[in-house]
Each structure stands twice: as C-alpha cells, then as structure tokens.
Amino acid sequence: MKRIVTLVVQNRSGVLNRVTGLMHKRQFNIESISVGRTEQEGISKMTFVVDVEDHRKMEQLTKQLNKQIDVIKVTDLSDKAVVARELAMIKIVANPGTRNEIQGIIEPFRASVIDVSKDSLSVQVTGKPDKIEALIDLLRPYGIKDIARTGLTAFSRGHQPQAAELTQYSLLK
Amino acid sequence: MKLDMKPAGTAPATKTGADVLVDALVEQQVDTIFGYPGGAVLPIYDALYRSEADFQHILTRHEQGAIHAAEGYARVKRKTGVVLATSGPGATNLITGIADAMMDSLPLVVLTGQVATTVTGTDAFQEADVMGITTPITKHNYQVQSAYELPKIIKEAFHIASTGRPGPVVVDIPKDISANPCFDTDESPFHLPGYQPTINPNPLQIKKLAEAVKQAKKPLVLTGAGVLHGGATDVLLDIINEYRIPVTSTLLGLGAFPADHEMFLGMAGMHGTYTSNMAITDCDLLINVGARFDDRLTGNLEHFAKNAVVAHIDIDPAEIGKNVPTHIPVVSDSGAALKELKRQLKEGPDHQAWLDELKQSSKDYPLWYNTPKEGMVAQWAIKEIHEKTKGDPIVTTDVGQHQMWAAQFFHFRRPDRWVTSGGLGTMGFGFPAAVGCQLAEPEERVIALVGDGGFQMTLQELSVVQERNLPVKIVILNNQALGMVRQWQEEFYEERYSESIVGCQPDFVKLADSYGIQGYKFETREEFESQIGELMNNDQPVLIDARVIQQENVFPMVPPGRGINDMVGVKP
Ligand SMILES: Cc1ncc(C[n+]2csc(CCOP(=O)(O)OP(=O)(O)O)c2C)c(N)n1
C-alpha cells in the first residue's frame, strides 16, 4: 500500500542521506521525495510517498524515522484528509499542426504551456499524481521528449472530517 | 596528558580547534581515550600532548583494537568510551567496531580526523566519506563545520551516545578546523527537539502488566541488555524474590539476573537451555525487559511464544512490535518501569504447578558435554576457570563455539561482568575488549576467553598488555579450527570442512613470550586443572593455549529456520 509520510527535520548536513539510507536498509520502496524549507529557519520538510506491505511495516517505518536525532516530527498523512500536489513539466513533440489539438487536451487539466519551440511544446501541470498520469497518457501519442516531476508534497487539511467521511478524501487507495 | 619526556616547548598563545576539543572532552570527564594517530589528527594529538589534563591515551596497535577496547570499557564501566583515529584508513578501520557498538547499544563517541575543508570532496589524500559510510551504523554523526560549534557538538555527542538507547556517535573533524586558531566558541546549552527519549513508563500500561502478572499461570521474564543499561538489576531481583517468576535471558542479558538463583533457567535461544526455550514456548505471559527479540533468540517466529501475552519494556519504541506482536507495550527505561511495576504489584501469580514443571525440566534436561578419556573439551575448561575464580571476574569472549560455551557454563552472579559481541558477532572483539575492561577496572580480574581463529584477528594488542603490564588473562580455547563454522559444516553440509580446519598456527607460547608475557600450553586435564587456579588469580598477564578437542559441538541447538521448541542435541 502507498503511504504519504511527511517529516519535519533539522536542516543539518546528512539528514536526507540518513532518512533515505534508513528506508533503503529496512527495505522500504520510495516512490517519490520532495524536500523544501519551511517558514521556520533551519527547519525543512520532506514528503515521501512509500510503498509498504502492511500497517505493521508502516509502524516500523514511522518509529525508525522518529528515532533519528534530526527528525523532529513524523506524520503519516495517508489516513487523513490532505491536500496533496505534484508538479510536472512535460515536453512533447509538436508542430504548428498539432499545437491547437494539444491545447485542447491540456485545458481541462488546467495545465499551461510554458515553452514553445519549432518542434516541441512544454506543458506544466499541478495536481494529484493520478491526474498527472492521466495527462501524460493523453499526451503520449504525440511523442514525449522529456518529463520532470517534483514528487508529491502534502499537508493535512484545516478541517479533519470524521472517520466515516474519510474514504472520499483518501488519496492513494 | 601525563608524559614523561615533556620538553619545555612553548604553547601557542591562542587556542586551536584541537585545544577546544580537548577542553570539551575534559568537561565530559573523559579519563581514557583509545586511539591511533595520523595526518588528519596531528593537531589533536599535539593538543593532547600539550594538555595538562589528567587523562590517559591508550595507543592500541590497530584502530579496530582501539574501538573494541572502548566498547569493553563502556560495557563494564557504563560510561561512554572515547575513540580517536585519523581520516581515511584510520576511520575505515573503525567501521567494524562502530557497527558492533550500534548493534549492542554501547555508548561511544568516535572522533575521526578528516581532510581539510579546503580540499573536501576532491579525493584528497586519505579522504573517505566518513559521514556517508557511518550513517547507517551510528546513532548519530556530525561533521564539524567550524571550531565555533565544536564544544556544543561534543556535548550533544556525549548526551546522545549515553542516554536513551545508547549507541555510537561519530564526530568527523576536518584538519583545518582542529589546526586553526579559534577565537570564539558556542557555549550555549544544546537543544535537541527531535531527541526526547521516554524515560518513565505510562502507569496505565504498568497497571495492565501488573494485572497480567496476577492472572498468569505460567509467567516468564526475559532479560536483555536493557536491564543492565537501565540499572534495573536490583529491582528485578526484588520482584522475582517476592513473586517467584522464572527468568531466562538473551546472550547479552546474562548477568542481569544472578545465574545461581533458583528462578534462573539459563539462557534462551539457539544455544539456550531446553528448559528456557520450552518455557518461552509454553508460557502464558512473557515479560521482555530490554531485549530486542533478535532472531538468534526467537528462532522461527511462527513458533515463538504462541501461547503468551507478550509484554515488552524497552526504551526504544521501534523495538516494540518489530519482530514479535506485543500486547502490553511499555516504552520506558527498564529501571523506571520495573520500579513502577514493583509499586503497583500487590498480588503475584498462582503458579506453583508451572514452577514445579520447570524445576523438573531443568533436572531432566541439564546442559551436557562429553567427557573423553583423554584430552579436554572447552566446556570443561570453562567450568574449571569459573570454579577457580569464584570472585566473579569480568569475562570477555570472542565469537564462535567458545562464546556459546562461556554463555552456557560461566555463571554470572553480578551485572556488567559479561562482555561479548552479540548482535554483530564480531570475531576479533574479545581480546581487545578485555584490554579495555582492564583499563576501566584496574582492580578487577579480567579474563578473555577466545578462539584460536578470532584471537589471531586482533592479537597485536598484546603490545598494550605488555606496555602497561595489564594483568589480563587470555585463554585460547584452541581447537585448531574455526569451530563454529566446522560445526555447521558437520551438521548441515555433510562434513565438507571447507576452509575451517586450520592446522597451521603460531606457537602461542612463544608469541606470548615475544611480548614478554608468560605463556602456557595445556594439553591434558591434569595440567590444566593443576595450574589454572594460580594462573587466573595471580597479578600477571597470562596467555594460555588450551588444546581442546576439535570435534566437540555446541548443544543443544535450534537448527536454523526451526522454532525454539525444536532443539537437537538436548540429551547426550
Ligand atoms: C569477523 C568475522 N568473520 C567471520 C565470522 C564467521 N564466524 C563465526 S564463528 C567463526 C569461527 C570462529 O573460530 P574460533 O575463533 O577459532 O572460535 P571457535 O568457534 O573455534 O570457538 C567464524 C569464522 C565472524 N563471526 N566474524
């Protein structure tokens, strides 16, 4: 099962290495990582999407992460109502003949064109990973030249619904 | 540091980063450093030379010797061991010891030199990525970025190494930082928001545990090294004396509970006693105090403690539920948890039938060994040493058959006498660890029980024994084989003894002699018996080459992959 885990960490050298090394050692598959600074000086936030077998494994992961001296807080967001986004840039083969058609495809995704050249066109899209996947699938027939994705970043929503409502928010199941 | 031939050199007016480091070590009340010099730590060695502080530096003859000595020191003194080595090969020679200390939760602060910051990342001479290499095998590691932060890092390092679940902390110090003058240091107290070990138990969890004890018909306590780290031995003994709960132990937990106590069943696990393993299999309440349910203890998890309510007291929450599902988790220091349990326990279990059953089992299935007409077996030799050194010596072992036999036949009545490499199973550990123990406890008798294989991995530390005239007793249980490997090949590889019979070895007596140490070779029981008492109890370093029978195997045994209830070699 896929889980979203966020870490609040002290921004010291080696902390990313420590966290990813730990996941590697204990055989957790990392699907994506995103790291960035927070509003607090010296504190960063990492968002991981990991693939784990079961809840017991997930508990192990959380505990092992918590043990790291520079990790201040570990949150498993998977069962919470979250806002989660990823950004992707997709460069596709395009000529004057196909440009309009592509425009029509990306519009419902609220993606935008960020670069155009004689024979290519680059699109930027934000959203949940499945939305990004869907767009990539639609663009594939044109010929994808390059893709750059940031990996998912997420936090919990301001309002947490009761357990019964949760499934509709669940992102990864 | 006290040095005899100190020239009247002029000390530099301002402090260097290395001086700041030495001051910080003094502040941590370091009395002993185990180390080896080299280019990147020259400024530190110079600062040690110039320092007036009263601590000793032990020059081992290999960095691995230094770190195992520091582990031995830390284990018996319950104090953070300090190691110092140079960059590159100095640091990489420490890796085995760092991994060993991590597995066995020993508090170490390991100081490594590093190439100057000006050349970091250029594959400079003797540069190794110590941060990268040690990250998975340290509790924490630091690379010092400026001398300004050094005092604070050292404070943090000692705090992290010695509190919570202890472990090794590496501090990597670039040469320019230790060499250059330092005009300002950060003396503010440290703050580690991500490191707040839970020391005290949740009383409600202890209430559940007390309730479970009361209701149990077949309770059992399992002691791990956490009992020793938490200083919980006395309160444990009180509880057991009052409520008469049988006790078994992991390899590293030996000594946490007196081995001669009527409630003690012996060690459990792969080479544990049959009674201990059956007690784990049959018990209805298993109280694990500070053990991590390692696979050498549990055997196949499908058969482990299936009938039991499992309670697990551990200061490291990540150990709870890791291998064995736990019904009553208690995150706490073992001492604090057991004190609270003692306070809350009002009524013990009603379990006489269980005690009778175990007593009968211990009688029916004692540990055994062969008694050949001629020659000696290692088990007998170990028992003999045990009997002739009644004053509870400190015993270190190496890894292999002799280690298991020592665990089986040396009965520890007091804590912190037993020093062995459990988690990593590091050959070469035993002898240098004994050197560290002797330096930590100069007044105590220290005996290193080693195999002929493992001893040859780190025997260069005989130099330290010679130099300091340390009265360490080295007993080589010499079966002229890598015994444990030989045993597995006999049992599981149809006696194909691939590279495990080692007939060619040095003359250990002459070897000892060349280091100015008295060496003895014993081939018969009579020789051994008549001299061992005197040799173990005099105040000289001694090396004994005890020729033991090669074909002897460690029994009983849980074959790999089986449940611990499924032992072979239970009876002769
Ligand atoms: C550094 C290291 N290398 C290899 C091993 C694998 N190993 C475990 S026990 C053993 C044999 C040890 O032989 P010896 O030291 O003579 O002790 P004995 O088993 O004969 O008592 C070996 C090779 C190990 N534990 N550590």
Side-chain angles (χ1 to χ4, degrees):
Chain A
M1 55 185 195
K2 286 188 192 160
R3 310 291 288 185
I4 310 171
V5 188
T6 61
L7 309 185
V8 178
V9 302
Q10 303 248 62
N11 191 8
R12 291 202 190 161
S13 73
V15 55
L16 182 63
N17 185 13
R18 196 164 257 283
V19 168
T20 54
L22 155 72
M23 292 189 183
H24 171 73
K25 175 186 166 192
R26 303 207 182 252
Q27 308 218 303
F28 292 98
N29 241 335
I30 303 172
E31 297 255 317
S32 76
I33 312 176
S34 78
V35 188
R37 279 190 278 190
T38 64
E39 77 288 0
Q40 245 180 303
E41 165 116 31
I43 304 291
S44 293
K45 184 158 165 183
M46 303 178 179
T47 309
F48 288 84
V49 177
V50 287
D51 200 359
V52 296
E53 267 160 51
D54 52 31
H55 284 280
R56 199 163 135 205
K57 271 270 204 181
M58 189 58 211
E59 187 186 320
Q60 237 324 277
L61 177 61
T62 320
K63 284 173 164 179
Q64 293 293 347
L65 288 168
N66 255 317
K67 238 165 94 164
Q68 306 310 310
I69 311 289
D70 285 337
V71 173
I72 298 170
K73 189 159 184 245
V74 182
T75 315
D76 180 358
L77 285 176
S78 321
D79 295 330
K80 293 200 172 137
V82 295
V83 190
R85 295 289 181 269
E86 179 175 8
L87 183 144
M89 298 189 295
I90 310 156
K91 190 190 288 171
I92 40 189
V93 180
N95 53 44
T98 56
R99 261 181 221 148
N100 272 348
E101 211 179 303
I102 293 170
Q103 196 68 47
I105 291 175
I106 67 170
E107 214 171 63
F109 289 84
R110 283 191 243 160
S112 51
V113 173
I114 50 173
D115 182 46
V116 182
S117 78
K118 199 158 78 291
D119 54 0
S120 77
L121 185 139
S122 297
V123 173
Q124 167 194 313
V125 60
T126 23
K128 297 179 191 173
D130 54 355
K131 170 178 161 187
I132 292 172
E133 296 294 342
L135 180 59
I136 292 171
D137 280 347
L138 287 172
L139 293 175
R140 188 160 286 131
Y142 296 91
I144 290 177
K145 292 172 80 116
D146 200 359
I147 293 183
R149 297 175 69 159
T150 58
L152 192 77
T153 187
F155 54 37
S156 61
R157 284 179 186 271
H159 167 72
Q160 287 296 314
Q162 297 308 304
E165 302 169 62
L166 263 175
T167 43
Q168 72 191 78
Y169 286 96
S170 181
L171 178 77
L172 293 172
K173 272 183 225 153
Chain B
M1 192 162 66
K2 283 191 211 130
L3 279 173
D4 300 339
M5 304 190 315
K6 202 165 205 172
T10 45
T14 44
K15 284 187 172 177
T16 64
D19 293 321
V20 170
L21 171 70
V22 172
D23 289 350
L25 295 177
V26 170
E27 197 185 308
Q28 295 299 323
Q29 295 168 349
V30 172
D31 54 29
T32 307
I33 299 178
F34 300 91
Y36 208 96
V41 286
L42 281 171
I44 300 175
Y45 272 87
D46 189 58
L48 287 174
Y49 190 89
R50 288 184 279 101
S51 169
E52 299 290 327
D54 186 16
F55 55 69
Q56 55 178 349
H57 176 279
I58 305 297
L59 177 75
T60 55
R61 299 313 197 254
H62 189 294
E63 287 87 353
Q64 187 184 354
I67 191 160
H68 292 328
E71 290 182 85
Y73 173 98
R75 183 68 283 271
V76 297
K77 211 164 184 181
R78 280 205 224 146
K79 185 176 169 182
T80 303
V82 182
V83 182
L84 173 59
T86 193
S87 68
T92 54
N93 272 348
L94 295 175
I95 298 304
T96 304
I98 297 173
D100 191 89
M102 183 69 174
M103 287 287 253
D104 287 352
S105 308
L106 292 171
L108 294 185
V109 168
V110 179
L111 309 165
T112 51
Q114 183 53 278
V115 300
T117 53
T118 46
V119 292
T120 311
T122 64
D123 302 315
F125 178 62
Q126 295 194 328
E127 178 175 9
D129 176 10
V130 168
M131 289 294 282
I133 298 169
T134 62
T135 292
I137 51 169
T138 48
K139 184 169 175 187
H140 198 49
N141 56 3
Y142 295 88
Q143 187 170 59
V144 181
Q145 311 289 333
S146 71
Y148 174 76
E149 59 178 36
L150 237 175
K152 201 168 180 174
I153 287 179
I154 294 297
K155 272 184 230 159
E156 288 185 11
F158 276 83
H159 175 72
I160 291 168
S162 61
T163 54
R165 178 177 181 176
V169 178
V170 165
V171 182
D172 197 36
I173 309 169
K175 185 173 185 179
D176 51 341
I177 289 175
S178 56
N180 290 343
C182 170
F183 300 102
D184 188 19
T185 53
D186 182 0
E187 299 296 337
S188 63
F190 62 81
H191 172 55
L192 297 165
Y195 180 66
Q196 312 286 335
T198 306
I199 305 297
N200 291 309
N202 178 341
L204 293 175
Q205 291 300 98
I206 298 292
K207 191 172 166 208
K208 278 193 209 159
L209 179 53
E211 191 56 37
V213 170
K214 193 171 97 187
Q215 308 216 326
K217 292 273 171 278
K218 300 177 169 189
L220 179 68
V221 167
L222 169 70
T223 58
V227 177
L228 301 165
H229 291 302
T233 48
D234 289 348
V235 56
L236 174 67
L237 185 58
D238 287 351
I239 292 174
I240 303 300
N241 279 337
E242 182 147 5
Y243 299 103
R244 298 170 52 76
I245 303 169
V247 178
T248 183
S249 181
T250 67
L251 178 70
L252 289 186
L254 293 175
F257 186 75
D260 56 356
H261 195 285
E262 59 161 341
M263 285 297 129
F264 191 62
L265 307 177
M267 180 174 76
M270 181 173 267
H271 293 296
T273 63
Y274 180 71
T275 304
S276 285
N277 284 2
M278 291 316 290
I280 289 178
T281 307
D282 294 340
C283 68
D284 64 359
L285 171 65
L286 179 61
I287 307 170
N288 170 351
V289 191
R292 62 187 174 84
F293 284 137
D294 159 77
D295 58 83
R296 282 293 188 270
L297 172 85
T298 62
N300 188 328
L301 286 168
E302 296 214 349
H303 304 279
F304 184 79
K306 280 295 163 215
N307 305 307
V309 167
V310 175
H312 188 168
I313 299 170
D314 208 303
I315 199 158
D316 179 359
E319 287 304 341
I320 298 178
K322 185 177 81 177
N323 298 333
V324 174
T326 302
H327 309 93
I328 309 176
V330 182
V331 180
S332 169
D333 171 76
S334 59
L338 290 185
K339 276 189 197 118
E340 179 64 14
L341 179 64
K342 186 179 165 198
R343 197 181 67 82
Q344 290 203 29
L345 262 179
K346 294 279 169 331
E347 202 182 321
D350 173 14
H351 62 317
Q352 192 55 45
W354 173 239
L355 294 181
D356 294 343
E357 187 186 324
L358 294 174
K359 196 163 191 176
Q360 190 58 42
S361 170
S362 291
K363 223 162 148 191
D364 292 345
Y365 303 100
L367 291 168
W368 62 274
Y369 54 83
N370 294 308
T371 309
K373 278 212 174 61
E374 269 173 48
M376 23 174 195
V377 295
Q379 301 95 308
W380 174 85
I382 290 167
K383 263 186 103 165
E384 206 44 36
I385 295 170
H386 179 243
E387 272 157 33
K388 298 267 161 67
T389 53
K390 291 222 168 51
D392 299 316
I394 291 168
V395 174
T396 75
T397 76
D398 215 74
V399 170
Q401 289 184 312
H402 68 279
Q403 175 188 34
M404 293 299 117
W405 286 324
Q408 290 178 333
F409 293 101
F410 217 103
H411 291 164
F412 296 93
R413 286 173 294 206
R414 287 201 283 148
D416 307 326
R417 314 267 95 188
W418 168 241
V419 183
T420 195
S421 166
L424 200 66
T426 306
M427 280 173 73
F429 171 87
F431 169 51
V435 170
C437 293
Q438 191 71 78
L439 287 156
E441 302 287 355
E443 302 306 321
E444 299 279 349
R445 169 67 56 243
V446 178
I447 301 173
L449 299 176
V450 296
D452 48 296
F455 180 59
Q456 291 185 72
M457 285 194 175
T458 46
L459 61 74
Q460 73 284 344
E461 305 312 336
L462 286 168
S463 285
V464 181
V465 172
Q466 174 184 31
E467 186 174 54
R468 309 231 162 211
N469 196 30
L470 300 175
V472 173
K473 311 296 184 186
I474 305 155
V475 181
I476 307 171
L477 295 151
N478 187 351
N479 52 12
Q480 303 193 341
L482 304 176
M484 192 56 101
V485 173
R486 197 207 60 79
Q487 172 169 349
W488 281 55
Q489 290 171 339
E490 178 183 335
E491 305 273 323
F492 311 117
Y493 293 87
E494 297 166 328
E495 302 185 32
R496 288 187 297 279
Y497 297 121
S498 179
E499 303 292 326
S500 61
I501 314 271
V502 192
C504 176
Q505 29 180 236
D507 180 330
F508 287 112
V509 173
K510 281 193 192 148
L511 179 78
D513 187 51
S514 73
Y515 285 97
I517 297 168
Q518 295 167 34
Y520 301 85
K521 176 171 158 183
F522 296 144
E523 290 176 292
T524 66
R525 284 201 294 263
E526 292 68 37
E527 288 172 312
F528 192 89
E529 209 169 10
S530 61
Q531 295 183 63
I532 196 72
E534 201 279 311
L535 292 176
M536 288 296 108
N537 291 309
N538 70 24
D539 285 328
Q540 294 302 312
V542 166
L543 181 149
I544 291 169
D545 177 5
R547 294 305 173 102
V548 296
I549 288 171
Q550 190 178 70
Q551 287 69 25
E552 189 68 11
N553 287 339
V554 186
F555 286 125
M557 177 180 194
V558 178
R562 308 256 201 94
I564 54 167
N565 52 330
D566 197 358
M567 298 191 92
V568 299
V570 174
K571 290 215 169 196

